[in-house]
Amino acid sequence: MSGQLSTEEVAHIARLARLEITEEESATYAGQLSAILEHVDAVRRLDTAGVPPTSHAFELRNVLRADEPRPCLERDEVLAGAPRAEDGRFLVPRILGEEP
Amino acid sequence: MTPAASGALALAAQVRAGERSAASVLEESLAAIRGRDPELHCFNALADAHARERADEVDRLVASGTDPGPLAGVPVALKDNICTRSAPTTCSSRILAGWTPPYDATVVSRLAAAGAVVVGKTNLDEFAMGSSTENSATGPTRNPWDTGRVPGGSSGGSAAAVAAGMVPVALGSDTGGSIRQPAALCGVVGVKPTYGVVSRYGLVAFASSLDQIGPLATTVAEAAAVLEAIAGHDDRDSTSLEQAAPRCSEVLDDGARGLRVGVVADFLADASPDCTGAVRAAADVLAGHGASVEEVALPELLHGLSAYYLIAPAEASSNLARYDGVRYGLRVDAPDVETMNGRTRAAGFGPEVKRRVMLGTYVLSAGYYDAYYAQAQRVRTLVARAFARAYAGVDVLLAPTTPSVAFPLGSKTSDPLEMYLADLFTIPSNLAGHPAMSVPFALGEGGMPVGVQVLAPALGERAMFRAAAVVESGADPRARGPVPARGAR
Amino acid sequence: MSGGARAGEDAAIEGVAGYEVVVGLEVHCELSTATKLFCGCANAFGAPPNTQVCPVCLGLPGSLPVLNRRAVELAMRIGSALHCEIRPSTFHRKNYFYPDMPKDYQISQYDEPVNADGYLELPGGARVGIERAHIEEDTGKTTHVGGGGRIHDADHSLVDYNRAGVPLVEIVSRPDIRGAEQARSYVSELRAVLVATGASDGRMEEGSLRVDANVSVRREGSEGLGTRCEVKNLNSLRSLGRAIDFEAERQVAVLRSGGRVVQETRHWDEDEGRTSSMRSKEEANDYRYFAEPDLVPLVPDEELLERATRAMPVLPAARRVRLSALVGDDTAADQVTTVVDLGLDDLVVAAAALGADASLALRRAANEAAQRPEQARRIDAGVFARLLSLESAGTLSATQSKAVLAEVLESGGDPEEIARRLGFEALPAAELEAVLDEVVASHPAEWERYVGGDDKVAQLLTGLVMRATRGRANGKAVAAALASRRA
Ligand SMILES: [Zn+2]
């Protein structure tokens, strides 16, 4: 892995990220992302044997709330920002993919 | 005199004493915004109608003998990634243009409870991704010290609004330096608290494990007062610490006697002479006040930048998935939902956001996770360990906030990597979850302000503010905002 | 059932000969909490669309999740009931785009689930391994408008997020299940456990319980696993069984024709009685899991574990063991299963403790009481015990006893009184002898054969006595009287 991204890889990433990009953009991003990856490549070469990863700044545990209801939003507020709504629901165009 | 010039604490004292009305303070602030914002573009939106109601309410409380709180009548600007019912929250992105949240962030409720008046929402790099406030769908903010230069970012609108005297204090968010770097470039104080000290509920997420809200102000004392108002446990944020708000105002006059200060030697080599000189001079000020000062070697911190540019985009790629055109914000119509998602996101996000979303998607994807993301998280551990080593011997660390003073608009926009380097010295504190703040200290290249950064271990806010107050006392008073209008030079 | 489906099923029975059907099940169970997993919105079925939502479960920018304590307790309760190890766990984000998912990622547990390595014991004693039972959030509900409600033919779709964020536990079995019948048995047993623990209402028809089946086939006697297909859209026990039969048959047919089974997700069509490939145009999923930064790890401390296992009821498997032990050697396993499934085992155990014959109690519970389980669960164990004693003592015949039990179930009351009211006074010994005289006199040939040692004819003679007394005679008493006369 040289950290060099092909335009095909960029197109694949863009599909995963649900970003429609042109071929031209694909080429631009391939160059820019490769440059960034090259820069951060130093990180990959660091010896981190035996070092645990950190995903959270602090080691909090068991942060829980009581199973008690709180008020919901009014439906008008819920749908206020909707690009399209019908019958109290959000309207989307035809779905091609299956739910995983 | 602008509200900022009076200072938030003086204003609050006058309003609480009934010597000035909150309404008049607000009008003064709005007038200052009207006067300079067309040139500087600090604000995305004003909440003036709501602000007037709030100011009147504060005045009614005072009239009825009730104390409206420690920030009574103080006008505050909020970075436009903090959710407010009273004004749209856009993150300076086309994808959220016109969206008004149906709820207030916790910090907004806390400011209201302290008597403060939110005047509007400030410009930022889109979704807080950037270091110059040039990546904004609403156009760049300009530095009030020199309108040909950037204010820094991503909280550039908040920093510039305070520096220009439009508001005495503002809130920003800091993921990799986004409060401290623009504070330094605009000659104001900027604080990133310990991760978990201020609730993130209502802060539009960029990188959830790094984001933290904090104040920008003209003085250390005002920053402390605002931090005390917004900090403290919140049961709506699982990562909120149980601790009460740190009482930093109490320690501002404690001086530096007995304080152990370390200067981060590794950062000095990578900063311009004016920035390095400011750190050394600030160290001398602390030593002069009785602190012990030593240089400490923390080479691991320099790896923070690379780790950050893997971790933050990874989290961002997930946090920004929800902008899909289904529930709120922009939709670009298409015959099927998949195409609609893709076109909406293509049209709604700017180039830097797309770049980071793609980078983050890549480093999390099958086959690359261990090499990039997991490895970056291990480097994050190394950064925290390096800090722990240093804090075994010192109470606070001193470092430059930025590698240089504010740079000209457009000078780094073509090269993302060049821009990323602006956060080299601020990122390690985010990775460790530690508090850090920038204090304006001197004038540097082109007469621009230079900030000095004070870093402390987790929950070390009191030591940090104590040191910052001493540094401030020895600073060049000309380096601090608000600055009078003088345009590009 | 359509003719086509019947033919398919018949074919399946013959069609998998020489092959073993291997099934692993993934069951999604909605937890019976008052509120959702990460917010205070009500967790309730049937509210008008988008009225049980807030910034958190709508995934609005800036909102943050906070974990529901009760959901954690119920999840651990399920783990405990399934003999799992309850472990320290973390939450991850499963990233994929779908309009019913407000954040376009699902908060789930990935490599560190709260429960792992357990088992479920089925009636009959077979154990199915439980790989994991982890916590995750539900999605919203999508309705397809136009095109007959089918997703790809629809004109557009409408999304309701009331269900988004409802707490789920996903229970993943190991591929230990052999065939459709055992799969149904697994799900009904699991359902009983979930209901008994109070973790779920177990309603499949409301979607509280959703099942996906991983089906593969292999040559009988072979050890390795075949390529599996995941079958979705199984909305009832019936469709689960039919779908597994169909899918196994399909895979065997593919193998027999020299083909290879392709690993894929298949959709069960209840009306057509067949599975079909989903043929998704999407690329292979890459969920980009990473630790959820907005939530902190979960550690099963003493308090959580105590609350999770507090007042844990005796579970079906243990109840079956208890009942079998009580009844002894002649236990009919299917009667034990029925009685436990219907929750009548406590009645049997209590009646036996009061002196009733345990075996008779089990039989009456499994056959007669089981016809009216609601009422049976309410009858007093003392009443049931007295009735059974009357039958054992020969005071009531079996027929009479059943009639009295029916009356007790219907309107309650004292068994002796009911027997009297129905005219079931025990037949006096003198009257029985008189009837016997008549029978012997009218059937001399049969009587000769009986005296000659032909015991098969005893049944006929007993029947004749019963008919003559219109069922008032007790079978045992008649047999005894016949035997003493022959001696
Ligand atoms: Zn909710």
Side-chain angles (χ1 to χ4, degrees), chain A residues 72, chain C residues 36 38-42 52-58 164:
Chain A
C72 299
Chain C
K36 293 186 180 181
F38 298 121
C39 65
C41 291
Q52 289 179 345
V53 290
C54 73
V56 177
C57 57
L58 269 178

Side-chain angles (χ1 to χ4, degrees), chain C residues 62-239:
Chain C
S63 65
L64 295 170
V66 185
L67 188 56
N68 182 338
R69 174 182 285 278
R70 184 68 188 149
V72 171
E73 288 168 5
L74 291 178
M76 290 180 174
R77 208 167 165 78
I78 291 172
S80 170
L82 295 176
H83 311 280
C84 289
E85 187 193 335
I86 300 174
R87 298 177 175 178
S89 62
T90 53
F91 290 89
H92 274 64
R93 291 186 185 176
K94 181 181 183 180
N95 294 286
Y96 63 93
F97 284 85
Y98 207 79
D100 67 8
M101 217 167 36
K103 303 180 291 295
D104 287 302
Y105 58 79
Q106 182 192 30
I107 303 177
S108 181
Q109 296 192 308
Y110 177 50
D111 52 358
E112 297 175 304
V114 60
N115 305 305
D117 286 334
Y119 65 87
L120 178 68
E121 191 176 313
L122 306 188
R127 279 186 180 181
V128 174
I130 303 293
E131 188 182 307
R132 54 190 286 151
H134 68 259
I135 305 170
E136 63 183 31
E137 58 178 336
D138 210 342
T139 60
K141 231 174 142 71
T142 309
T143 311
H144 310 296
V145 179
R150 282 168 209 269
I151 179 166
H152 302 308
D153 306 331
D155 174 52
H156 59 266
S157 297
L158 298 173
V159 195
D160 166 19
Y161 293 103
N162 281 350
R163 202 182 65 183
V166 161
L168 296 177
V169 165
E170 181 179 350
I171 301 154
V172 183
S173 88
R174 296 193 188 281
D176 292 348
I177 298 164
R178 299 288 170 266
E181 196 44 51
Q182 199 172 40
R184 291 160 52 116
S185 167
Y186 170 87
V187 172
S188 62
E189 182 66 13
L190 180 60
R191 185 184 168 282
V193 168
L194 294 172
V195 173
T197 54
S200 170
D201 62 23
R203 292 191 191 126
M204 271 186 105
E205 62 286 1
E206 281 182 13
S208 302
L209 217 59
R210 303 198 285 274
V211 184
D212 299 331
N214 287 302
V215 180
S216 65
V217 297
R218 63 182 174 197
R219 279 234 166 255
E220 251 163 30
S222 92
E223 283 293 304
L225 290 173
T227 304
R228 66 190 161 86
C229 291
E230 186 177 9
V231 183
K232 290 185 176 281
N233 193 40
L234 307 172
N235 298 321
S236 65
L237 284 182
R238 186 167 170 274
S239 48

Side-chain angles (χ1 to χ4, degrees), chain A residues 13 18 48 86 88 90 93:
Chain A
I13 298 162
R18 282 282 159 91
T48 57
E86 190 177 290
F90 295 86

Side-chain angles (χ1 to χ4, degrees), chain A residues 28-77:
Chain A
T28 309
Y29 284 127
Q32 289 177 338
L33 294 178
S34 296
I36 296 167
L37 287 171
E38 208 166 290
H39 184 85
V40 301
D41 214 45
V43 159
R44 288 177 51 206
R45 289 193 298 269
L46 281 179
D47 180 13
T48 57
V51 179
T54 296
S55 56
H56 296 72
F58 303 117
E59 299 204 337
L60 298 178
R61 296 281 178 265
N62 296 352
V63 176
L64 302 166
R65 68 179 174 84
D67 184 24
E68 285 159 9
R70 281 187 173 189
C72 299
L73 291 170
E74 294 294 327
R75 188 152 76 183
D76 293 350
E77 291 179 296

Side-chain angles (χ1 to χ4, degrees), chain B residues 159-295:
Chain B
V162 173
M166 298 171 178
V167 284
V169 291
L171 296 188
S173 67
D174 191 315
T175 306
S178 278
I179 290 173
R180 292 160 287 162
Q181 187 258 13
L185 268 42
C186 289
V188 300
V189 176
V191 181
K192 184 205 95 73
T194 300
Y195 185 83
V197 157
V198 178
S199 170
R200 291 184 295 118
Y201 190 77
L203 170 66
V204 179
F206 161 17
S208 311
S209 77
L210 306 166
D211 295 340
Q212 190 63 191
I213 294 173
L216 296 105
T218 49
T219 63
V220 170
E222 289 167 282
V226 174
L227 179 59
E228 284 167 12
I230 61 172
H233 180 71
D234 178 17
D235 62 13
R236 288 181 183 273
D237 176 357
S238 304
T239 61
S240 166
L241 299 174
E242 288 289 343
Q243 276 78 5
R247 310 310 299 172
C248 298
S249 299
E250 295 170 1
V251 300
L252 299 178
D253 297 325
D254 285 6
R257 192 155 305 283
L259 203 64
R260 298 169 303 165
V261 177
V263 175
V264 185
D266 312 83
F267 285 173
L268 299 178
D270 285 316
S272 62
D274 44 2
C275 294
T276 305
V279 173
R280 294 203 187 282
D284 289 345
V285 170
L286 284 163
H289 282 74
S292 64
V293 177
E294 59 179 297
E295 284 208 356

